[in-house]
Amino acid sequence: MTGYGFRHVARMEWVKLRSVRSTWWLAAVTVVAMAATGIGVGVGYRSHTPVATAAQILNNSLSGAILAQLLLGALGVLTVTGEYGTGQIRSTFAAVPRRRTVLAAKAAVSGGAALAVGLAASFAGYLGGQLAIRGTAIPGAPLSDPDILRAVVLTGGYLAATALIGVGVGAVVRHSGAAIGVLFGLVFVPSFAVGLFGENGIVVGRFVPLLMLLNSVAVTSPTPGLFAGWVSVLVMGGYAAVAIVCGGVLLRRRDS
């Protein structure tokens, strides 16, 4: 029982993840929320004056990611804390004493699942907006445009990174409600603090998750002064790595 390698542990984690009802609910609500936002944006712009641009439709259609990041972040959190809540974590660590291997497997499985769901949700938001403006004078936003495709794909990547941050936070906090609350604070609170820096706010804002999403990742043209979209996603990946490393250190030092 103690000789499980990473691949075997990852398979076990995948079985756990797909067997929990909350996984499917969070995934479904994420996609539906993004699609509904896209449709709502498109419908709202049908009678808008002046006529909206393709960039406006795309940028706003992807704004459902504000909610989606919390849903997939919660998925990452529950990947870890769900076992603490049921006490199953003791059985997991008894079978696989290498706790960092368990955490790495959880991160790999939940991150992969979140990337798939995030991309599906991002494309759902995009398609919802495009379908809602059909038959109007509003120009479409074709995926053949590199800026359009980049925004849609990177939004999915951003959502996956948020889920990985959730895994790290879950490993640190170990309580579902508290961990989700911490994740909420990490995502939203820094955006309010940026205003305190005055003219230097843009320098700080380029590192703030919510501002990166709304002004760099899920847009066709990033706001001047902020990182390019792909850099912002890499920064989010860096946050996820730090959170998971911290979780790994604490997992090794604390009792289950």
Side-chain angles (χ1 to χ4, degrees):
M1 292 291 288
T2 60
Y4 290 147
F6 176 81
R7 293 179 63 182
H8 192 98
V9 177
R11 284 197 294 270
M12 291 193 299
E13 290 301 327
W14 169 239
V15 171
K16 293 177 190 176
L17 185 67
R18 70 185 185 186
S19 65
V20 178
R21 188 177 302 175
S22 61
T23 297
W24 299 101
W25 275 110
L26 286 169
V29 173
T30 297
V31 176
V32 170
M34 288 285 287
T37 300
I39 293 171
V41 167
V43 170
Y45 272 117
R46 288 181 68 91
S47 58
H48 186 271
T49 302
V51 175
T53 65
Q56 285 178 308
I57 292 294
L58 188 283
N59 296 351
N60 288 287
S61 293
L62 296 179
S63 63
I66 297 174
L67 174 60
Q69 65 183 331
L70 293 179
L71 295 172
L72 289 186
L75 175 63
V77 166
L78 293 174
T79 300
V80 179
T81 61
E83 289 198 67
Y84 278 100
T86 61
Q88 186 180 354
I89 195 68
R90 296 186 182 88
S91 299
T92 297
F93 288 153
V96 188
R98 296 179 179 177
R99 298 186 176 191
R100 292 180 181 177
T101 299
V102 173
L103 182 60
K106 287 181 179 296
V109 169
S110 61
L115 180 59
V117 175
L119 288 171
S122 184
F123 277 97
Y126 161 79
L127 290 174
Q130 294 302 295
L131 291 174
I133 62 171
R134 291 186 66 178
T136 70
I138 302 173
L143 290 176
S144 57
D145 183 333
D147 290 335
I148 302 296
L149 181 60
R150 173 191 54 75
V152 175
V153 172
L154 289 183
T155 297
Y158 173 98
L159 294 175
T162 306
L164 289 174
I165 293 174
V167 172
V169 172
V172 171
V173 180
R174 301 195 295 182
H175 183 278
S176 298
I180 292 173
V182 169
L183 180 65
F184 182 93
L186 291 174
V187 170
F188 287 100
V189 172
S191 60
F192 296 108
V194 169
L196 300 176
F197 293 89
E199 296 180 354
N200 296 319
I202 194 68
V203 177
V204 178
R206 67 176 66 180
F207 294 98
V208 173
L210 187 59
L211 296 183
M212 286 193 290
L213 172 65
L214 296 178
N215 299 285
S216 174
V217 175
V219 293
T220 56
S221 300
T223 299
L226 294 184
F227 292 127
W230 66 270
V231 176
S232 293
V233 173
L234 287 179
V235 171
M236 288 294 291
Y239 293 160
V242 170
I244 292 171
V245 168
C246 290
V249 171
L250 291 177
L251 273 181
R252 189 174 182 179
R253 293 181 177 179
R254 297 187 301 199
D255 293 334
S256 58

